[in-house]
Amino acid sequence: MLTDLMTSKRYFETVINSMKEPIIGLDNDMNILFINEEALKTLNLKGNLLVGKSAEDIAISNDLLRKLVRGIVDENESSNIPPDRKSPLSIYTNDKENYFKVEYLHIELPQDKNDNLRMGYVILLQNVTEYQELNNAKTTFISTISHELKTPISAILISLQLLEDERVGRLSVEQKELAGSIKDNSERLLKITGELLDITKVESGKLQLKPKITKPIELIDYAIKANRVQAER
């Protein structure tokens, strides 16, 4: 019986250590049940004698572990997910900044059909650096393009303002319509570039969207004016 238990324990440890993602198991008292080598390396913890020790005691001198343990405490104290749990956790490891998605799983022992006994927690860190870097590159690209577009659009509007000045020369009715169409579409494009910047703020959580009631006729009039000149041609 003891031999079977030891064999199962070694098998379990082998499986845990073979995982490429950091994983930590804690009991209800926040004592470490298991921690794989990837977690030791990521959290910059030394040695393999941490099993059975208090994670809260170790976290006193380890900021990353303290943040992970605090996530469990916050989850128990409130049903709401803390804001910082929504974004990836930034950790400097392997000589570069890496991003990890933190997942908290419950270790539960089934008691009956409607009740489970909580035995502890599992903290799983999923490396999402590749996706985060792509997302950052996309956000930077959108922000750069938006800023770059504003300069030529502003130049068009200034030139148009000079063209409409009667001291330069009077415009015919048709020319005034064309100038008005250029102005409307330039302002529309300028607004779009501003909205692109707002998108980057939404993704970073810095901008809160506030829906408002809009009359459909206003949207229809806007669309008609934007395409009037092309339609008349």
Side-chain angles (χ1 to χ4, degrees):
M1 182 67 177
L2 181 60
T3 303
D4 292 339
L5 287 175
M6 293 300 297
T7 301
S8 298
K9 180 176 180 293
R10 285 195 296 269
Y11 177 78
F12 176 75
E13 291 174 345
T14 301
V15 171
I16 293 296
N17 283 319
S18 66
M19 296 181 65
K20 300 302 180 182
E21 304 287 2
I23 183 171
I24 305 170
L26 306 172
D27 63 18
N28 288 327
D29 296 322
M30 297 298 174
N31 296 316
I32 297 177
L33 295 174
F34 56 84
I35 179 169
N36 68 352
E37 294 177 2
E38 195 66 29
L40 291 172
K41 182 172 63 175
T42 302
L43 300 181
N44 196 26
L45 293 172
K46 305 296 182 181
N48 56 356
L49 301 177
L50 299 179
V51 174
K53 293 186 177 180
S54 171
E56 293 177 320
D57 290 344
I58 299 172
I60 294 175
S61 57
N62 189 292
D63 292 340
L64 290 175
L65 183 58
R66 182 162 63 250
K67 183 176 291 188
L68 294 174
V69 172
R70 183 61 196 174
I72 295 177
V73 176
D74 290 340
E75 186 180 68
N76 290 335
E77 292 179 350
S78 174
S79 58
N80 297 322
I81 298 177
D84 60 343
R85 290 268 302 278
K86 297 179 182 179
S87 57
L89 180 64
S90 175
I91 301 176
Y92 191 86
T93 181
N94 295 327
D95 298 323
K96 61 175 290 190
E97 187 175 27
N98 288 269
Y99 298 90
F100 292 86
K101 177 183 177 183
V102 184
E103 290 189 31
Y104 294 91
L105 308 176
H106 295 162
I107 303 175
E108 296 183 340
L109 182 65
Q111 295 295 299
D112 51 49
K113 293 183 179 180
N114 300 318
D115 188 27
N116 292 326
L117 177 63
R118 181 174 297 178
M119 304 294 293
Y121 310 88
V122 172
I123 304 174
L124 178 63
L125 302 180
Q126 182 181 0
N127 195 325
V128 293
T129 303
E130 180 181 355
Y131 306 104
Q132 186 67 26
E133 288 176 344
L134 289 173
N135 186 60
N136 291 343
K138 179 202 67 178
T139 301
T140 301
F141 174 77
I142 293 176
S143 179
T144 301
I145 288 297
S146 299
H147 282 294
E148 291 298 325
L149 284 175
K150 281 190 173 182
T151 301
I153 295 173
S154 298
I156 291 173
L157 289 172
I158 292 174
S159 299
L160 187 60
Q161 186 177 1
L162 293 173
L163 186 63
E164 291 176 331
D165 192 329
E166 292 187 355
R167 290 175 294 179
V168 178
R170 291 191 175 184
L171 300 177
S172 65
V173 175
E174 186 176 7
Q175 289 173 332
K176 286 183 178 180
E177 289 181 358
L178 290 173
S181 177
I182 294 173
K183 182 179 180 181
D184 290 343
N185 283 287
S186 296
E187 290 178 343
R188 180 183 177 212
L189 188 55
L190 194 61
K191 183 178 180 181
I192 290 174
T193 58
E195 290 174 347
L196 286 175
L197 288 174
D198 287 342
I199 289 176
T200 62
K201 293 179 181 178
V202 170
E203 291 181 340
S204 62
K206 296 179 180 179
L207 180 71
Q208 298 295 327
L209 295 180
K210 296 181 180 179
K212 65 177 182 179
I213 297 175
T214 302
K215 295 180 180 179
I217 189 63
E218 293 178 355
L219 300 177
I220 296 173
D221 287 340
Y222 181 81
I224 290 175
K225 290 178 181 178
N227 296 279
R228 183 184 296 278
V229 175
Q230 295 90 328
E232 288 179 348
R233 293 294 177 272

